[in-house]
Amino acid sequence: MIIRDLEKIDTKDYLSRIRLKNEAEHKKRILEINETIPELKEVDDKISEIALEAVKARLNKRELSTDFSSAMKTLNEQKIKILTDHGYSADYLDPIYNCPICQDWGEKDNHICSCVKELRIKELYQRSNLHQLLEKENFDTFSLDVYSDQPFKDMELTPRENAQRLLNKSLKFVENFDSIHDNILIYGGPGLGKTFLSNCIAKNLLDKGHTVLYLSSNELFNEVLSNYIMSRNEKLKETLEAVYDYVYSSDLLIIDDLGTEVVNSFVRSQFFEIINKRILTNKSTLISSNLGLAELQESYTQRVISRLVDKYDLYPVYGNDIRKMRKIKG
């Protein structure tokens, strides 16, 4: 699914439209300034005249006048002063780029620019079901009423009290996201709101402009990592590069339904690599799983569990299946 969606994203067409739009805006600004500040055009004409003389000197293999640089510097300073005196910014007439690194061409030194990678991630999010889902599943629609207020087994808190506690912690997590680089492990049986709570956190951070990569464990290990690391298809690797990079560089990585993938030595090593590297680079990670801590240790080894227990805030959820409660109340 991820590979197919990424292949549909035409970044070249998008960047072409961006360049045309910026070029049109640049020309519009030049015309505006020529009409409103005629004296600036006189300075531009002098700059063009001196630049032309410099070109002729090089073609004729003559040395440039010693005052060439000084004259150009003086004229550019005059230009900036005229602009700012009329209330414009000093760079108002500079070429316009959305990405100053590649100047909106998508490549820099024969490498894909970071702006293309970010564009692919944003477009992937827009095309995904997650985009529509987050409009329904967020902190504004989170309801404690679906959780029982009756004691559950030998738990100290009722399911509703526990949900309230986790909700409060989640709100604190997003509030302090920029200053405290926490990680979260939400675990418990199916149908208890783990994905809903993850979606609440994702929506809040996306609305604040943070980069969030949301992948199911199957998508992460089977579609992204195995294809990017093990495939010999260079075009496929290039297609997946943006997602692979974001596994490590996104502000928040969400791994949903950990434990539903086929666990093998490749998955174990890559899972440890991801959580360990993101911890070392202060990148937050949120993991949800139907497995308990003992089951996670059995599947992913002791060193993985040690990192989770030591570096992750544990969010245990319990109670009865709230999806059935939602249907009853709906």
Side-chain angles (χ1 to χ4, degrees):
M1 180 67 72
I2 286 177
I3 296 171
R4 188 166 68 249
D5 288 341
L6 282 169
E7 287 175 340
K8 293 177 183 176
I9 300 172
D10 188 352
T11 55
K12 289 183 179 179
D13 179 66
Y14 175 85
L15 291 172
S16 176
R17 285 186 278 114
I18 288 294
R19 290 195 303 273
L20 288 172
K21 178 184 174 184
N22 287 339
E23 286 168 9
E25 175 61 24
H26 186 227
K27 290 176 181 177
K28 179 182 173 184
R29 290 185 181 187
I30 292 172
L31 289 173
E32 173 194 349
I33 294 300
N34 286 342
E35 289 179 4
T36 57
I37 317 176
E39 63 264 37
L40 194 63
K41 189 176 185 307
E42 296 176 11
V43 177
D44 272 334
D45 289 342
K46 289 180 182 177
I47 291 174
S48 297
E49 185 181 326
I50 293 176
L52 181 60
E53 286 299 319
V55 171
K56 288 179 179 179
R58 288 195 184 96
L59 290 174
N60 295 321
K61 297 181 179 181
R62 290 187 286 107
E63 289 189 12
L64 293 175
S65 169
T66 54
D67 63 350
F68 170 78
S69 296
S70 176
M72 289 294 284
K73 181 181 177 182
T74 300
L75 288 169
N76 278 310
E77 287 174 350
Q78 287 179 15
K79 184 175 178 179
I80 290 172
K81 187 175 186 308
I82 292 170
L83 276 172
T84 54
D85 284 350
H86 284 78
Y88 293 95
S89 62
D91 62 353
Y92 189 72
L93 291 178
D94 290 353
I96 302 168
Y97 306 116
N98 282 29
C99 177
I101 298 173
C102 68
Q103 297 182 352
D104 301 329
W105 285 97
E107 288 188 0
K108 177 70 174 179
D109 300 328
N110 294 320
H111 290 90
I112 295 175
C113 185
S114 57
C115 71
V116 172
K117 297 176 183 180
E118 186 172 344
L119 170 63
R120 285 177 172 168
I121 294 296
K122 287 182 178 178
E123 186 65 21
L124 184 65
Y125 163 68
Q126 291 294 332
R127 293 178 183 219
S128 71
N129 292 329
L130 182 63
H131 178 60
Q132 291 78 27
L133 187 61
L134 295 189
E135 296 303 319
K136 300 176 182 177
E137 298 188 0
N138 51 67
F139 285 123
D140 290 335
T141 61
F142 189 96
S143 174
L144 293 169
D145 293 341
V146 296
Y147 293 92
S148 172
D149 59 358
Q150 299 302 309
F152 184 81
K153 298 183 178 180
D154 58 350
M155 296 298 181
E156 194 173 309
L157 300 176
T158 68
R160 186 174 298 178
E161 289 169 338
N162 182 59
Q164 178 69 72
R165 181 178 69 90
L166 298 184
L167 175 60
N168 292 341
K169 288 171 63 130
S170 299
L171 290 168
K172 187 176 180 181
F173 172 81
V174 297
E175 181 183 348
N176 298 324
F177 188 80
D178 291 321
S179 56
I180 302 175
H181 308 289
D182 282 338
N183 304 285
I184 296 173
L185 172 62
I186 309 176
Y187 63 97
L192 296 176
K194 298 184 298 296
T195 298
F196 195 111
L197 191 57
S198 298
N199 289 343
C200 292
I201 291 170
K203 176 73 161 62
N204 183 283
L205 293 178
L206 283 166
D207 287 348
K208 292 179 179 177
H210 290 288
T211 54
V212 177
L213 181 61
Y214 197 125
L215 296 170
S216 71
S217 60
N218 270 314
E219 290 173 328
L220 174 61
F221 296 113
N222 297 334
E223 287 198 53
V224 178
L225 296 180
S226 63
N227 281 305
Y228 184 81
I229 294 172
M230 302 174 73
S231 175
R232 295 182 179 179
N233 185 329
E234 291 303 318
K235 185 177 180 181
L236 176 61
K237 291 166 79 77
E238 182 180 313
T239 300
L240 286 169
E241 185 176 5
V243 181
Y244 180 79
D245 286 352
Y246 263 54
V247 167
Y248 292 98
S249 65
S250 58
D251 296 332
L252 178 67
L253 170 66
I254 298 180
I255 306 174
D256 194 31
D257 274 341
L258 182 71
T260 56
E261 78 288 350
V262 176
V263 180
N264 51 38
S265 58
F266 174 79
V267 169
R268 291 188 189 98
S269 64
Q270 289 302 310
F271 183 44
F272 180 79
E273 175 77 7
I274 290 166
I275 62 173
N276 191 55
K277 187 171 288 187
R278 288 185 64 87
I279 287 169
L280 294 176
T281 54
N282 289 323
K283 297 292 184 181
S284 295
T285 307
L286 188 159
I287 300 169
S288 73
S289 178
N290 290 341
L291 304 179
L293 293 178
E295 295 170 300
L296 287 170
Q297 179 174 322
E298 184 178 338
S299 296
Y300 300 98
T301 74
Q302 176 60 43
R303 70 172 185 165
V304 169
I305 292 302
S306 295
R307 297 302 269 166
L308 294 179
V309 172
D310 184 42
K311 297 295 184 180
Y312 279 62
D313 198 355
L314 304 181
Y315 283 37
V317 292
Y318 51 82
N320 299 315
D321 192 328
I322 65 171
R323 288 177 297 197
K324 296 177 181 178
M325 291 291 294
R326 283 199 178 96
K327 288 180 181 179
I328 293 170
K329 290 179 178 291

